Amino acid sequence: MKRYTFLFVSLLVALSMVLAACQPAVETEPPAVEEPTEEPVEEPTEEPVVEPTEEPTEEGPAEVQRVEGMGAPLDRVVVSVVDSASAVTQIVAGAIDIYAGGLSSATLPEIEEAGLEYGTGSGLYYELTLNPVGPIFETTGAVNPFFDKRAREALNWMVDRDYINREVYNGGALAKFFHMVTQFPDYATLAPKVRELEAKYAYDFERGVAQMDEVMLGIAGVTKEDGMYMYNGEQVTLIMLIRNDSDGTRVPIGDYVGNQMEQAGFATERLYRSSSEASPIWVGGNPADGQWHIYTGAWSATIIDRDEGDNFQFFDCPASAYGFTALWQAFNPSEYYQEQANKLAYNLFETREDRNEAMAEMLELGLEESVHVWLIDGKNFIPYVEGLDVTYDLAAGVDGSMIWPYTLAWKDQVGGTVNWGQPDLFVDPWNPIAGSNWAFDQAVGRATWGEAYMIDPHTGLLLPQRFERAEITAKEGLPIGKTMDYITLDFEPEIQVPDDAIMDWDAEAVDFITAADKLVLDAEAAQAALDEAIAAEETAPAAVEEAQVALDTAQAALDELADDASDEDKEAAQLAVDDATAALEAAQAALEGAPDVVAAAEEALAAAQEKEYYTAQVKSVVYYPEELWTDVKWHDGSLITLADFLHNWIISLDMGKEGSPIFDDSYASNAAAILANFKGFRILSEDPLVIEAFSDYYEIDAELNITTLWPSFSYGEAPWHMMAMGSLGDIEGTVAFSADKADAESTDTQTVEWLSFIGGPSLDILNDMADKGIEEQFIPYANVLADYITPEEAVARYENAKAFYEEYGHFNIGTGPYILEEVFLTEKVATLVYFPDFPDPTDKWYGRYGAPKVAEVVVEGPATLIVGEETVFDVFVDFEGEAYEADEIKSVTGLLYDGTGLIVDILEAELVEDGYYTITVPAELSAEMEAGASKLEAVVVPFTVAIPSFQALEFVTVE
């Protein structure tokens, strides 16, 4: 998110997931689940070093030649970095027209006093990211308590979320404890478990310190003297990496957390850094280097995430879309946690009830792991001048939304320029696979990148943008429903995957693996596993004997040590005995378990040999229009082709395969996780394009189960020739798609650049690779793509890219409504300009969405509930003073709490008339309630928006 940058939506609709701190990656399937993007979207390493590009001329920008009725509503969008503290002032002064990054709720009075219009977003959230390496950093020798999950869990009790909300956000935010957003659907669905855990982890500083003591005093050499944690004669210091930009709220958050840590017994070193300065440290660097303990993170959901189950994998597991970073590889939750996270990420459940039970369990386990300590779900306010027409996403606001490039306009006017302010820009290198995931960068890039779908800003469902219609077939019994008319939904007892479906990629043979091929490979793998098990069984007795000899030798060496031997020698000898004992125990266990391993391997082989075909949970068929191949152009003038689609799918998996020349170890687990649930695709028709795809992953909304294979990746869109140029550089060892690989392959004498399509040394390398492509008539993955790309077309594509670079000075080539016209990396300024060949009418999305219909709820009832008597409460649901129509309400329920603060029951409301419901507490239920302060919390879930509304009424329960 999902999530989230759409993990594999285009490619398979999900990978999760913005997505501003992180939407969730390569697309090989799972539906559209956009990964959260870091604080907005945060991400890795050192900003490329670039020479300042030429300043704009005094003559001003060239006049835009528009195609009447077509393309983006504006001529230009000029993006600049503006300090949030001066945003309102600069809008009033006319320096900018909109502060798209948004401001916190504490700034709302200033916005209103200035008389500005504003939009809102509810997807921005704040947390503490904790360094999991330790207990001692090898590089610095410093102590890190957060290697132990108990220390991470303790922080939940040591920070007062209500205090942060009150003091930093003027009470306009919400306390956050979980991986899910408080205003999103899952929070309402899981409300009983949510309320239980919120009570358990409520602020309790003493409890948190007591648990922190257990961890700290268990680290060899650490003591607590006069209330201070001491190590090697010095107080233990926590290095806090505190962001000082964006909306400005993370400085007071960081200082508050630092004060709490000092009160607990730590010293703190507080490093105040901007996003560009912090990124190379916390996510671009190696956590084992010990440069930080706590980072004040923030993330933004770029979609109303209707299923946030994938967030556990995205935030906490090495298999995350962020798995290309050293930090995520250092996260090591239990095997069970990772298994459940993967199941939730790919929805591997037969029923919605099973999924919800797993979610409830993971909410609790997530708090115990606390790789991230969640603090605040904020509400963002996006101020702008009168006369500007702005459509905002309920979750993502403006800058995080997919729809803004299609709807931002001056009222009653086509064309013109908007001056757009945001907190930062060009934080990290841009490339579609593993480039910048920062919200600041993604907001600008999103205007240049196209997609097959549009995200509905009010519901989070996918709407057709490039395709015409879709068909979903699901296995009978799955809890999937549909809302939109463009999609059909059917159910079948079994969905068989055809033998010719392309299921996997063979990086060594450079060829597709079909479902029929996969059956053979599975049987061969099962036979190899059996052979290995039999061989292990045969050698197990000898291994036990060898281990026994090693133990006897180690024990003899220990026994023979002189009484005056040094402590170091004694410790080394004892360690050798301990290791030999463990090896013997392991060998004995292997001997005892060998027959069972062989039996299991024989059973697996029999099953593989008998298997005639694969099945899937969901089949998706997507229909593209006939004009796709003639109307959709890349910004360099190249027409989009089927090769763009196929290359997208191939490279997304190829990077994670060890036999590939562009193999990236940090992507191996990601590719494996995707393939575990992806069941193949077929091109049913090339013209018009029709794509059939199969998956075991599913979403409960049919609209989120489509597989488009559109040539977009986790962090942007790109044509095959640009990705091929990047791959050629990767093969030569001059660039790498991911920060992790770039760092790993750099040496003292050679720097491997983190690939950037917009600046730095990468540009000359890419230009050289275009020349190489022209000279060699290079067709990537020619074994399969030569059927779709001619040598002449390959040359023309590389020449188009070079001509684009000559004109614009970068290689960010998409199909979106705007071209990135100017890039000033040092000055952090960008200009977006109207793309005349964009194929959509200007009014396709513009004007389609009014104010989001978020329900306004009032609960009324008696001040006293008498135990053993029936009591009725009234619930009124309105929008802008009018009753909310009943057919637009999905559910109204009540959470009933008694005097102990626990939920007694969940009660269904009864509809009286539009906008009016009653919730009845029956006499037999009230008879079970404890006396004391109680409350009824109404939860209203509409169809028209995916944001539930909560409202509570307090009363007294008496005998």
Side-chain angles (χ1 to χ4, degrees):
M1 57 170 193
K2 33 218 209 167
R3 26 185 216 91
Y4 308 76
T5 328
F6 273 1
L7 266 191
F8 228 109
V9 169
S10 349
L11 195 290
L12 278 167
V13 188
L15 186 217
S16 71
M17 126 320 157
V18 172
L19 164 256
C22 248
Q23 319 44 9
V26 209
E27 213 195 312
T28 262
E29 205 349 41
V33 176
E34 191 158 300
E35 296 295 349
T37 47
E38 223 285 327
E39 173 337 44
V41 192
E42 289 211 356
E43 252 258 333
T45 79
E46 202 171 342
E47 191 176 30
V49 178
V50 293
E51 295 296 325
T53 47
E54 184 181 351
E55 292 288 352
T57 66
E58 293 183 2
E59 292 142 11
E63 183 178 351
V64 172
Q65 301 298 316
R66 297 187 63 91
V67 178
E68 185 176 356
M70 301 296 289
L74 296 167
D75 293 340
R76 280 186 173 83
V77 181
V78 180
V79 181
S80 60
V81 173
V82 174
D83 184 1
S84 61
S86 66
V88 172
T89 301
Q90 294 211 40
I91 295 175
V92 172
I96 58 173
D97 302 308
I98 182 171
Y99 191 69
L103 301 169
S104 76
S105 53
T107 316
L108 181 58
E110 182 185 358
I111 295 172
E112 293 178 330
E113 185 177 347
L116 299 177
E117 307 270 348
Y118 61 87
T120 62
S122 298
L124 180 61
Y125 44 100
Y126 304 81
E127 51 91 20
L128 303 175
T129 297
L130 304 177
N131 189 327
V133 176
I136 306 297
F137 292 127
E138 290 185 8
T139 304
T140 64
V143 172
N144 180 27
F146 303 121
F147 81 98
D148 191 320
K149 70 178 185 179
R150 293 174 299 159
R152 302 194 299 264
E153 181 188 30
L155 277 190
N156 287 282
W157 290 299
M158 297 169 72
V159 293
D160 188 342
R161 295 166 172 86
D162 291 331
Y163 174 86
I164 294 173
N165 181 26
R166 185 171 62 252
E167 297 299 318
V168 179
Y169 296 96
N170 200 28
L174 295 168
K176 179 179 181 66
F177 293 79
F178 310 106
H179 289 70
M180 57 189 183
V181 176
T182 308
Q183 298 96 322
F184 284 5
D186 270 335
Y187 188 87
T189 301
L190 300 166
K193 187 65 175 181
V194 159
R195 294 298 188 239
E196 171 194 328
L197 293 174
E198 286 175 343
K200 176 180 177 180
Y201 285 94
Y203 180 57
D204 189 340
F205 186 76
E206 288 74 21
R207 180 177 180 179
V209 172
Q211 185 156 308
M212 186 66 74
D213 283 346
E214 293 177 11
V215 175
M216 288 296 293
L217 298 180
I219 300 173
V222 174
T223 60
K224 196 167 190 180
E225 303 169 20
D226 298 326
M228 297 183 293
Y229 297 117
M230 304 296 293
Y231 181 69
N232 288 341
E234 296 182 357
Q235 188 176 9
V236 175
T237 298
L238 300 180
I239 302 174
M240 300 189 61
L241 192 56
I242 300 173
R243 283 279 302 284
N244 60 8
D245 53 0
S246 189
D247 62 6
T249 63
R250 282 189 271 178
V251 169
I253 287 177
D255 285 339
Y256 165 73
V257 173
N259 294 341
Q260 295 293 93
M261 295 301 98
E262 290 179 358
Q263 185 178 342
F266 296 99
T268 63
E269 180 182 353
R270 307 182 191 189
L271 307 179
Y272 301 95
R273 299 290 187 268
S274 68
S275 54
S276 299
E277 296 165 336
S279 181
I281 302 172
W282 78 275
V283 71
N286 187 338
D289 290 342
Q291 296 183 67
W292 62 281
H293 293 80
I294 300 174
Y295 169 70
T296 55
W299 303 78
S300 172
T302 54
I303 180 175
I304 300 170
D305 201 344
R306 301 167 71 93
D307 180 352
E308 295 183 272
D310 63 323
N311 276 357
F312 299 98
Q313 183 201 70
F314 178 79
F315 283 112
D316 299 347
C317 300
S320 165
Y322 252 36
F324 60 87
T325 67
L327 176 59
W328 258 252
Q329 290 301 313
F331 293 156
N332 190 31
S334 70
E335 182 177 345
Y336 178 76
Y337 188 95
Q338 295 187 60
E339 289 174 356
Q340 291 299 98
N342 286 337
K343 288 181 68 176
L344 284 166
Y346 299 105
N347 239 332
L348 304 180
F349 301 96
E350 291 293 331
T351 68
R352 187 66 175 171
E353 290 71 25
D354 290 342
R355 179 264 182 194
N356 289 345
E357 287 180 11
M359 276 287 288
E361 179 185 26
M362 288 296 281
L363 292 181
E364 189 158 10
L365 293 178
L367 280 160
E368 292 175 5
E369 289 287 346
S370 284
V371 171
H372 303 267
V373 173
W374 307 106
L375 299 176
I376 292 290
D377 271 316
K379 191 162 188 176
N380 220 13
F381 294 86
I382 304 100
Y384 55 89
V385 297
E386 185 178 356
L388 194 62
D389 206 342
V390 179
T391 296
Y392 59 91
D393 188 288
L394 277 172
V398 175
D399 69 333
S401 73
M402 177 179 275
I403 204 168
W404 84 256
Y406 307 85
T407 57
L408 184 67
W410 293 107
K411 292 179 180 177
D412 304 320
Q413 174 187 332
V414 175
T417 297
V418 164
N419 292 302
W420 164 300
Q422 62 180 45
D424 205 347
L425 182 61
F426 303 138
V427 181
D428 283 326
W430 287 22
N431 79 66
I433 289 184
S436 179
N437 182 41
W438 287 82
F440 315 130
D441 293 340
Q442 288 284 309
V444 179
R446 197 174 290 115
T448 71
W449 304 322
E451 251 301 354
Y453 52 82
M454 176 63 69
I455 301 172
D456 187 300
H458 293 174
T459 66
L461 295 174
L462 301 190
L463 302 172
Q465 168 69 348
R466 287 286 159 257
F467 67 92
E468 289 185 331
R469 60 189 179 91
E471 299 168 353
I472 297 297
T473 304
K475 182 180 177 182
E476 285 183 357
L478 292 183
I480 299 175
K482 84 177 192 77
T483 304
M484 304 294 183
D485 292 336
Y486 76 83
I487 198 166
T488 62
L489 174 63
D490 297 301
F491 294 88
E492 292 183 0
E494 182 180 77
I495 299 173
Q496 183 173 330
V497 178
D499 286 346
D500 61 344
I502 297 170
M503 182 174 280
D504 200 346
W505 175 251
D506 188 329
E508 295 182 3
V510 192
D511 205 354
F512 294 124
I513 297 173
T514 66
D517 297 333
K518 189 76 167 175
L519 287 173
V520 174
L521 292 172
D522 285 352
E524 291 175 351
Q527 181 64 63
L530 175 58
D531 293 343
E532 184 178 345
I534 292 172
E537 184 179 34
E538 292 173 349
T539 60
V544 171
E545 291 178 7
E546 183 178 343
Q548 184 64 62
V549 170
L551 174 58
D552 292 343
T553 302
Q555 185 63 56
L558 176 62
D559 294 341
E560 292 171 2
L561 277 179
D563 293 340
D564 59 351
S566 68
D567 290 342
E568 289 79 5
D569 288 344
K570 291 178 180 178
E571 288 177 5
Q574 182 60 57
L575 181 61
V577 170
D578 294 342
D579 290 343
T581 301
L584 176 61
E585 292 173 352
Q588 291 170 333
L591 175 62
E592 294 173 5
D596 291 338
V597 173
V598 171
E602 289 173 339
E603 185 178 341
L605 175 60
Q609 291 173 333
E610 293 172 6
K611 194 170 188 176
E612 297 180 0
Y613 55 83
Y614 290 94
T615 60
Q617 297 270 54
V618 174
K619 178 177 74 172
S620 158
V621 183
V622 173
Y623 297 82
Y624 286 91
E626 293 182 1
E627 312 82 52
L628 176 68
W629 305 134
T630 58
D631 287 6
V632 179
K633 286 185 178 181
W634 296 100
H635 290 162
D636 67 355
S638 305
L639 285 168
I640 198 168
T641 67
L642 184 55
D644 292 306
F645 286 71
L646 295 175
H647 185 273
N648 164 292
W649 187 86
I650 294 170
I651 193 173
S652 298
L653 292 179
D654 193 50
M655 281 186 63
K657 301 277 190 172
E658 287 196 38
S660 167
I662 62 169
F663 172 68
D664 188 328
D665 185 61
S666 63
Y667 265 78
S669 60
N670 195 300
I674 291 168
L675 289 173
N677 302 292
F678 175 63
K679 291 300 183 69
F681 75 92
R682 296 194 298 174
I683 306 298
L684 299 183
S685 168
E686 293 186 6
D687 193 7
L689 180 62
V690 181
I691 297 172
E692 177 185 66
F694 302 84
S695 178
D696 277 344
Y697 172 85
Y698 72 89
E699 294 269 4
I700 62 171
D701 296 289
E703 294 85 350
L704 299 182
N705 285 289
I706 60 173
T707 297
T708 70
L709 289 186
W710 189 262
S712 60
F713 302 83
S714 301
Y715 308 123
E717 178 192 39
W720 70 255
H721 56 292
M722 277 309 312
M723 301 306 292
M725 289 156 57
S727 295
L728 285 172
D730 190 306
I731 293 169
E732 288 195 353
T734 53
V735 295
F737 285 99
S738 76
D740 188 72
K741 183 175 180 179
D743 180 64
E745 298 199 348
S746 292
T747 66
D748 293 338
T749 58
Q750 161 129 18
T751 298
V752 177
E753 294 293 326
W754 183 11
L755 179 62
S756 178
F757 282 4
I758 61 169
S762 294
L763 297 184
D764 286 339
I765 295 170
L766 288 169
N767 197 40
D768 290 344
M769 294 305 102
D771 289 334
K772 183 174 182 177
I774 292 169
E775 180 182 351
E776 298 179 1
Q777 297 184 333
F778 178 69
I779 297 173
Y781 308 112
N783 192 45
V784 293
L785 292 187
D787 291 339
Y788 303 94
I789 305 170
T790 66
E792 295 76 18
E793 181 190 356
V795 170
R797 284 267 191 137
Y798 297 126
E799 289 176 340
N800 286 346
K802 285 178 67 67
F804 181 89
Y805 176 49
E806 182 68 24
E807 181 173 0
Y808 295 104
H810 62 82
F811 286 105
N812 182 68
I813 298 170
T815 65
Y818 292 95
I819 294 174
L820 185 59
E821 182 181 32
E822 294 179 316
V823 176
F824 300 104
L825 293 183
T826 304
E827 297 81 359
K828 293 183 177 288
V829 175
T831 302
L832 299 164
V833 67
Y834 172 87
F835 176 37
D837 288 332
F838 191 69
D840 292 346
T842 304
D843 63 359
K844 181 174 182 178
W845 299 105
Y846 178 66
R848 182 166 175 172
Y849 293 94
K853 206 168 179 180
V854 178
E856 300 156 2
V857 183
V858 174
V859 182
E860 295 181 354
T864 301
L865 182 149
I866 300 174
V867 172
E869 293 188 5
E870 179 178 282
T871 305
V872 178
F873 296 87
D874 296 321
V875 180
F876 300 95
V877 185
D878 296 342
F879 175 70
E880 294 185 344
E882 299 292 329
Y884 215 120
E885 293 89 340
D887 60 2
E888 294 183 349
I889 296 289
K890 180 178 181 180
S891 65
V892 178
T893 55
L895 305 180
L896 180 63
Y897 301 79
D898 67 9
T900 65
L902 298 177
I903 294 177
V904 178
D905 204 350
I906 304 172
L907 304 169
E908 294 294 328
E910 182 178 346
L911 174 66
V912 179
E913 60 185 29
D914 282 353
Y916 176 33
Y917 298 79
T918 59
I919 296 177
T920 301
V921 179
E924 58 271 22
L925 179 59
S926 73
E928 301 174 2
M929 294 179 65
E930 296 286 339
S934 307
K935 68 178 178 180
L936 178 74
E937 184 175 30
V939 183
V940 178
V941 181
F943 285 112
T944 47
V945 294
I947 300 290
S949 296
F950 296 81
Q951 186 61 51
L953 174 70
E954 296 183 352
F955 54 89
V956 178
T957 301
V958 298
E959 297 283 347

